[in-house]
Amino acid sequence: MRVATWNVNSIRTRVARVVDWMVREDVDVLAMQEIKCKPEQFPYEAFESAGYEVVLHGLNQWNGVAIASRLPIEDVEIGFPDMPGFLKDHDGPDLPKEARAIGATVDGVRLWSLYVPNGRSLDDPHYVYKLDWLAALAADTQRWLGEDPHQQLALMGDWNVAPLDSDVGDPSLVPGVSTHISPPERTAFAAFEKAGLTDVVRPIVPDGYTYWDYKQLRFPRNEGLRIDFILGSPAFADRVTGASIHRNERKGDAPSDHVPVLVELADAAAEEDDDDRPMIW
């Protein structure tokens, strides 16, 4: 199975190149972020014509997440259980939940498409919201794996955190001033490793950015960030046989500012058959 994540930055603008890439790369499941549309506005027909079913969560022209699959989609969940809400200049337990998380099970694998809050600036309430959002997701992840340590779980998406200094090539990000690279954000990201997940792409693709700002010739100068990740449970990571960052999708007409990240999974049935074969002496 080939599973990918991509912040498409408006699916209605980029539907043709997204579907073309999925077909060309033989992608089974794609987690999308920043679809920027309501369900009734989503271009289902293009995906369905290519053989994909789509589930999504979108509330308006901002944010929005989706999962497209050519395998059956089951157990769809909108938002993770403890996901906090946000409303500028408001506080309290009943804040509206943004369209930032959707989960589904495909062929026995629990997949989440996630669009982590940006944070905006270190002194902005959105930054506190971002840290709370990540902490709640990490706590839920730890609970999920505690309940079923053998489950195949992958959290995929735009994390809006560059966890290592080597993930930062954009000179506009300044330590102590900018979001995405602050110690609290990196600590929040590291909490997922403590919860039992690993970055399944970096061991195979140690270098490379996944995002380049549209401004200041960031892409031609390769001044990017690595902020799009696939974090997997041990049972998921054990199936990963390959990974790739598709940098060329940042080229051409009207590209997203992010590129797809893809992993290849070994066939689970084949692995089970191998394990069950009798020993021959």
Side-chain angles (χ1 to χ4, degrees):
M1 185 161 69
R2 293 168 67 84
V3 179
T5 182
W6 192 355
N7 179 324
V8 296
N9 191 12
S10 181
I11 189 58
R12 289 177 291 174
T13 300
R14 281 169 256 284
V15 57
R17 68 180 300 158
V18 169
V19 173
D20 176 73
W21 177 82
M22 293 172 70
V23 172
R24 182 167 17 101
E25 295 297 330
D26 196 26
V27 175
D28 292 297
V29 187
L30 175 65
M32 290 174 275
Q33 302 84 43
E34 274 203 280
I35 60 171
K36 294 184 176 180
C37 66
K38 300 176 182 179
E40 61 269 24
Q41 298 172 314
F42 191 90
Y44 293 101
E45 184 176 350
F47 286 85
E48 291 169 353
S49 296
Y52 292 91
E53 174 187 2
V54 178
V55 294
L56 66 94
H57 180 38
L59 298 175
N60 47 41
Q61 73 273 29
W62 310 110
N63 308 325
V65 285
I67 295 174
S69 174
R70 59 186 180 189
L71 300 171
I73 298 175
E74 302 174 317
D75 302 324
V76 176
E77 185 175 358
I78 303 299
F80 51 90
D82 295 317
M83 188 176 77
F86 180 79
L87 184 63
K88 187 175 180 180
D89 298 326
H90 290 78
D91 199 1
D94 299 320
L95 298 176
K97 306 289 180 70
E98 296 182 307
R100 293 186 176 274
I102 186 170
T105 299
V106 178
D107 197 25
V109 182
R110 188 64 177 168
L111 302 170
W112 282 89
S113 179
L114 304 167
Y115 180 40
V116 175
N118 179 282
R120 299 176 183 169
S121 66
L122 299 184
D123 59 353
D124 194 289
H126 207 258
Y127 177 76
V128 177
Y129 165 55
K130 177 179 187 175
L131 297 178
D132 290 345
W133 200 95
L134 286 167
L137 178 60
D140 281 347
T141 300
Q142 190 165 31
R143 178 174 53 79
W144 293 331
L145 291 179
E147 293 170 350
D148 183 4
H150 302 294
Q151 72 169 296
Q152 299 175 63
L153 170 68
L155 306 187
M156 311 188 294
D158 176 1
W159 291 78
N160 272 317
V161 178
L164 303 178
D165 288 346
S166 59
D167 297 331
V168 183
D170 187 334
S172 69
L173 269 67
V174 180
V177 175
S178 305
T179 61
H180 294 57
I181 60 173
S182 69
E185 289 168 288
R186 288 179 166 179
T187 297
F189 187 88
F192 290 89
E193 182 175 1
K194 294 179 181 178
L197 303 183
T198 58
D199 181 344
V200 299
V201 176
R202 197 184 294 274
I204 301 170
V205 189
D207 303 311
Y209 303 133
T210 64
Y211 163 87
W212 296 261
D213 197 309
Y214 291 124
K215 295 178 266 186
Q216 302 297 318
L217 298 175
R218 293 289 184 232
F219 183 67
R221 294 174 177 171
N222 198 30
E223 296 174 343
L225 298 171
R226 188 171 186 151
I227 56 176
D228 300 84
F229 298 97
I230 299 176
L231 306 186
S233 66
F236 181 89
D238 286 346
R239 289 184 60 189
V240 174
T241 60
S244 48
I245 296 173
H246 290 244
R247 187 180 187 276
N248 283 342
E249 291 306 310
R250 184 60 174 78
K251 301 177 182 179
D253 294 333
S256 171
D257 43 5
H258 294 251
V259 297
V261 179
L262 182 148
V263 295
E264 302 171 41
L265 304 181
D267 184 71
E271 286 189 340
E272 290 174 3
D273 290 343
D274 288 344
D275 292 340
D276 292 339
R277 285 183 296 181
M279 296 183 69
I280 300 175
W281 300 93

